[in-house]
mmCIF file of all heavy atoms in Angstrom:
data_model
loop_
_atom_site.group_PDB
_atom_site.id
_atom_site.type_symbol
_atom_site.label_atom_id
_atom_site.label_comp_id
_atom_site.label_asym_id
_atom_site.label_seq_id
_atom_site.Cartn_x
_atom_site.Cartn_y
_atom_site.Cartn_z
ATOM 1 N N ALA A 16 -13.104 -0.448 -3.809
ATOM 2 C CA ALA A 16 -12.167 -1.010 -4.790
ATOM 3 C C ALA A 16 -10.904 -0.158 -4.856
ATOM 4 O O ALA A 16 -9.788 -0.688 -4.966
ATOM 5 C CB ALA A 16 -12.833 -1.106 -6.161
ATOM 6 N N GLN A 17 -11.075 1.145 -4.790
ATOM 7 C CA GLN A 17 -9.907 2.030 -4.759
ATOM 8 C C GLN A 17 -9.017 1.698 -3.559
ATOM 9 O O GLN A 17 -7.796 1.556 -3.687
ATOM 10 C CB GLN A 17 -10.357 3.490 -4.665
ATOM 11 C CG GLN A 17 -10.996 4.063 -5.896
ATOM 12 C CD GLN A 17 -11.539 5.469 -5.642
ATOM 13 O OE1 GLN A 17 -11.517 5.955 -4.519
ATOM 14 N NE2 GLN A 17 -12.027 6.113 -6.688
ATOM 15 N N LEU A 18 -9.660 1.588 -2.394
ATOM 16 C CA LEU A 18 -8.915 1.339 -1.168
ATOM 17 C C LEU A 18 -8.164 0.014 -1.237
ATOM 18 O O LEU A 18 -6.976 -0.063 -0.884
ATOM 19 C CB LEU A 18 -9.882 1.333 0.020
ATOM 20 C CG LEU A 18 -9.295 1.012 1.392
ATOM 21 C CD1 LEU A 18 -8.279 2.067 1.801
ATOM 22 C CD2 LEU A 18 -10.414 0.912 2.435
ATOM 23 N N ARG A 19 -8.840 -1.023 -1.689
ATOM 24 C CA ARG A 19 -8.196 -2.325 -1.755
ATOM 25 C C ARG A 19 -7.072 -2.342 -2.788
ATOM 26 O O ARG A 19 -6.029 -2.983 -2.581
ATOM 27 C CB ARG A 19 -9.253 -3.388 -2.073
ATOM 28 C CG ARG A 19 -10.153 -3.675 -0.875
ATOM 29 C CD ARG A 19 -11.265 -4.632 -1.194
ATOM 30 N NE ARG A 19 -11.946 -5.082 0.035
ATOM 31 C CZ ARG A 19 -13.192 -5.509 0.076
ATOM 32 N NH1 ARG A 19 -13.915 -5.557 -1.033
ATOM 33 N NH2 ARG A 19 -13.727 -5.892 1.228
ATOM 34 N N THR A 20 -7.261 -1.640 -3.883
ATOM 35 C CA THR A 20 -6.198 -1.585 -4.896
ATOM 36 C C THR A 20 -4.991 -0.811 -4.379
ATOM 37 O O THR A 20 -3.842 -1.200 -4.622
ATOM 38 C CB THR A 20 -6.727 -0.928 -6.183
ATOM 39 O OG1 THR A 20 -7.853 -1.667 -6.666
ATOM 40 C CG2 THR A 20 -5.648 -0.907 -7.261
ATOM 41 N N VAL A 21 -5.233 0.280 -3.661
ATOM 42 C CA VAL A 21 -4.129 1.015 -3.042
ATOM 43 C C VAL A 21 -3.346 0.098 -2.112
ATOM 44 O O VAL A 21 -2.109 0.055 -2.141
ATOM 45 C CB VAL A 21 -4.655 2.253 -2.274
ATOM 46 C CG1 VAL A 21 -3.583 2.808 -1.336
ATOM 47 C CG2 VAL A 21 -5.109 3.334 -3.244
ATOM 48 N N HIS A 22 -4.069 -0.642 -1.275
ATOM 49 C CA HIS A 22 -3.411 -1.558 -0.340
ATOM 50 C C HIS A 22 -2.587 -2.605 -1.091
ATOM 51 O O HIS A 22 -1.429 -2.884 -0.725
ATOM 52 C CB HIS A 22 -4.476 -2.246 0.524
ATOM 53 C CG HIS A 22 -3.924 -3.286 1.442
ATOM 54 N ND1 HIS A 22 -3.211 -2.977 2.583
ATOM 55 C CD2 HIS A 22 -3.968 -4.656 1.369
ATOM 56 C CE1 HIS A 22 -2.845 -4.090 3.187
ATOM 57 N NE2 HIS A 22 -3.294 -5.119 2.481
ATOM 58 N N GLU A 23 -3.150 -3.174 -2.139
ATOM 59 C CA GLU A 23 -2.441 -4.202 -2.900
ATOM 60 C C GLU A 23 -1.199 -3.637 -3.579
ATOM 61 O O GLU A 23 -0.134 -4.281 -3.580
ATOM 62 C CB GLU A 23 -3.384 -4.805 -3.952
ATOM 63 C CG GLU A 23 -4.516 -5.634 -3.355
ATOM 64 C CD GLU A 23 -5.591 -5.962 -4.369
ATOM 65 O OE1 GLU A 23 -5.432 -5.551 -5.550
ATOM 66 O OE2 GLU A 23 -6.585 -6.612 -3.996
ATOM 67 N N ARG A 24 -1.324 -2.438 -4.141
ATOM 68 C CA ARG A 24 -0.178 -1.864 -4.856
ATOM 69 C C ARG A 24 0.936 -1.452 -3.901
ATOM 70 O O ARG A 24 2.117 -1.604 -4.226
ATOM 71 C CB ARG A 24 -0.642 -0.684 -5.710
ATOM 72 C CG ARG A 24 -1.505 -1.132 -6.882
ATOM 73 C CD ARG A 24 -1.962 0.016 -7.767
ATOM 74 N NE ARG A 24 -2.781 -0.486 -8.849
ATOM 75 C CZ ARG A 24 -3.378 0.275 -9.774
ATOM 76 N NH1 ARG A 24 -3.226 1.599 -9.725
ATOM 77 N NH2 ARG A 24 -4.096 -0.275 -10.718
ATOM 78 N N LEU A 25 0.578 -0.936 -2.746
ATOM 79 C CA LEU A 25 1.612 -0.588 -1.768
ATOM 80 C C LEU A 25 2.285 -1.846 -1.236
ATOM 81 O O LEU A 25 3.510 -1.874 -1.041
ATOM 82 C CB LEU A 25 1.008 0.218 -0.622
ATOM 83 C CG LEU A 25 0.612 1.660 -0.943
ATOM 84 C CD1 LEU A 25 0.017 2.329 0.287
ATOM 85 C CD2 LEU A 25 1.801 2.471 -1.444
ATOM 86 N N THR A 26 1.498 -2.881 -0.992
ATOM 87 C CA THR A 26 2.072 -4.146 -0.530
ATOM 88 C C THR A 26 3.024 -4.720 -1.577
ATOM 89 O O THR A 26 4.123 -5.190 -1.254
ATOM 90 C CB THR A 26 0.963 -5.164 -0.227
ATOM 91 O OG1 THR A 26 0.083 -4.629 0.773
ATOM 92 C CG2 THR A 26 1.533 -6.481 0.266
ATOM 93 N N LYS A 27 2.622 -4.650 -2.827
ATOM 94 C CA LYS A 27 3.468 -5.147 -3.910
ATOM 95 C C LYS A 27 4.737 -4.320 -4.028
ATOM 96 O O LYS A 27 5.841 -4.862 -4.216
ATOM 97 C CB LYS A 27 2.689 -5.119 -5.223
ATOM 98 C CG LYS A 27 3.482 -5.629 -6.418
ATOM 99 C CD LYS A 27 2.664 -5.563 -7.696
ATOM 100 C CE LYS A 27 3.485 -6.024 -8.897
ATOM 101 N NZ LYS A 27 2.699 -5.938 -10.160
ATOM 102 N N ALA A 28 4.616 -2.996 -3.906
ATOM 103 C CA ALA A 28 5.792 -2.129 -4.010
ATOM 104 C C ALA A 28 6.785 -2.407 -2.887
ATOM 105 O O ALA A 28 8.000 -2.421 -3.099
ATOM 106 C CB ALA A 28 5.363 -0.663 -3.990
ATOM 107 N N LYS A 29 6.239 -2.638 -1.669
ATOM 108 C CA LYS A 29 7.119 -2.954 -0.543
ATOM 109 C C LYS A 29 7.839 -4.278 -0.773
ATOM 110 O O LYS A 29 9.023 -4.419 -0.463
ATOM 111 C CB LYS A 29 6.303 -3.031 0.749
ATOM 112 C CG LYS A 29 5.714 -1.696 1.190
ATOM 113 C CD LYS A 29 4.759 -1.887 2.372
ATOM 114 C CE LYS A 29 4.058 -0.591 2.722
ATOM 115 N NZ LYS A 29 3.043 -0.776 3.800
ATOM 116 N N ALA A 30 7.125 -5.255 -1.326
ATOM 117 C CA ALA A 30 7.715 -6.580 -1.542
ATOM 118 C C ALA A 30 8.675 -6.599 -2.722
ATOM 119 O O ALA A 30 9.544 -7.466 -2.813
ATOM 120 C CB ALA A 30 6.613 -7.612 -1.762
ATOM 121 N N SER A 31 8.546 -5.652 -3.629
ATOM 122 C CA SER A 31 9.343 -5.666 -4.853
ATOM 123 C C SER A 31 10.779 -5.223 -4.649
ATOM 124 O O SER A 31 11.619 -5.405 -5.521
ATOM 125 C CB SER A 31 8.695 -4.759 -5.901
ATOM 126 O OG SER A 31 8.860 -3.389 -5.537
ATOM 127 N N GLY A 32 11.077 -4.608 -3.507
ATOM 128 C CA GLY A 32 12.432 -4.141 -3.269
ATOM 129 C C GLY A 32 12.643 -2.676 -3.562
ATOM 130 O O GLY A 32 13.776 -2.194 -3.541
ATOM 131 N N GLN A 33 11.560 -1.922 -3.845
ATOM 132 C CA GLN A 33 11.733 -0.507 -4.149
ATOM 133 C C GLN A 33 12.333 0.254 -2.970
ATOM 134 O O GLN A 33 13.225 1.087 -3.143
ATOM 135 C CB GLN A 33 10.388 0.112 -4.548
ATOM 136 C CG GLN A 33 9.869 -0.335 -5.883
ATOM 137 C CD GLN A 33 8.616 0.411 -6.307
ATOM 138 O OE1 GLN A 33 8.316 1.489 -5.803
ATOM 139 N NE2 GLN A 33 7.871 -0.163 -7.245
ATOM 140 N N ARG A 34 11.854 -0.044 -1.763
ATOM 141 C CA ARG A 34 12.373 0.648 -0.590
ATOM 142 C C ARG A 34 13.857 0.342 -0.396
ATOM 143 O O ARG A 34 14.660 1.242 -0.174
ATOM 144 C CB ARG A 34 11.580 0.225 0.640
ATOM 145 C CG ARG A 34 12.169 0.693 1.946
ATOM 146 C CD ARG A 34 11.306 0.276 3.128
ATOM 147 N NE ARG A 34 11.986 0.513 4.392
ATOM 148 C CZ ARG A 34 11.442 0.374 5.585
ATOM 149 N NH1 ARG A 34 10.184 0.003 5.673
ATOM 150 N NH2 ARG A 34 12.117 0.596 6.680
ATOM 151 N N GLN A 35 14.235 -0.945 -0.506
ATOM 152 C CA GLN A 35 15.631 -1.314 -0.331
ATOM 153 C C GLN A 35 16.495 -0.737 -1.446
ATOM 154 O O GLN A 35 17.648 -0.363 -1.217
ATOM 155 C CB GLN A 35 15.770 -2.833 -0.293
ATOM 156 C CG GLN A 35 15.104 -3.485 0.916
ATOM 157 C CD GLN A 35 13.645 -3.852 0.645
ATOM 158 O OE1 GLN A 35 12.986 -3.274 -0.216
ATOM 159 N NE2 GLN A 35 13.151 -4.837 1.393
ATOM 160 N N ALA A 36 15.927 -0.681 -2.672
ATOM 161 C CA ALA A 36 16.693 -0.162 -3.796
ATOM 162 C C ALA A 36 17.030 1.316 -3.602
ATOM 163 O O ALA A 36 18.141 1.757 -3.904
ATOM 164 C CB ALA A 36 15.918 -0.350 -5.097
ATOM 165 N N GLY A 37 16.060 2.087 -3.103
ATOM 166 C CA GLY A 37 16.321 3.495 -2.868
ATOM 167 C C GLY A 37 17.451 3.699 -1.879
ATOM 168 O O GLY A 37 18.351 4.525 -2.089
ATOM 169 N N SER A 38 17.449 2.927 -0.787
ATOM 170 C CA SER A 38 18.514 3.023 0.197
ATOM 171 C C SER A 38 19.848 2.593 -0.393
ATOM 172 O O SER A 38 20.895 3.201 -0.128
ATOM 173 C CB SER A 38 18.183 2.159 1.415
ATOM 174 O OG SER A 38 17.015 2.625 2.063
ATOM 175 N N ALA A 39 19.830 1.534 -1.207
ATOM 176 C CA ALA A 39 21.072 1.042 -1.798
ATOM 177 C C ALA A 39 21.664 2.046 -2.770
ATOM 178 O O ALA A 39 22.886 2.241 -2.818
ATOM 179 C CB ALA A 39 20.807 -0.289 -2.502
#
């Protein structure tokens, strides 16, 4: 459950625009 939640949260963070926002 930990592993799957980590995967889901990282996927959500990537889709949310956090990576692009940091660069911007």
Side-chain angles (χ1 to χ4, degrees):
Q17 289 174 354
L18 177 63
R19 287 175 169 155
T20 302
V21 165
H22 175 74
E23 291 168 1
R24 291 181 180 177
L25 288 180
T26 301
K27 180 181 178 181
K29 293 172 186 175
S31 72
Q33 290 186 19
R34 170 178 170 173
Q35 294 90 336
S38 297

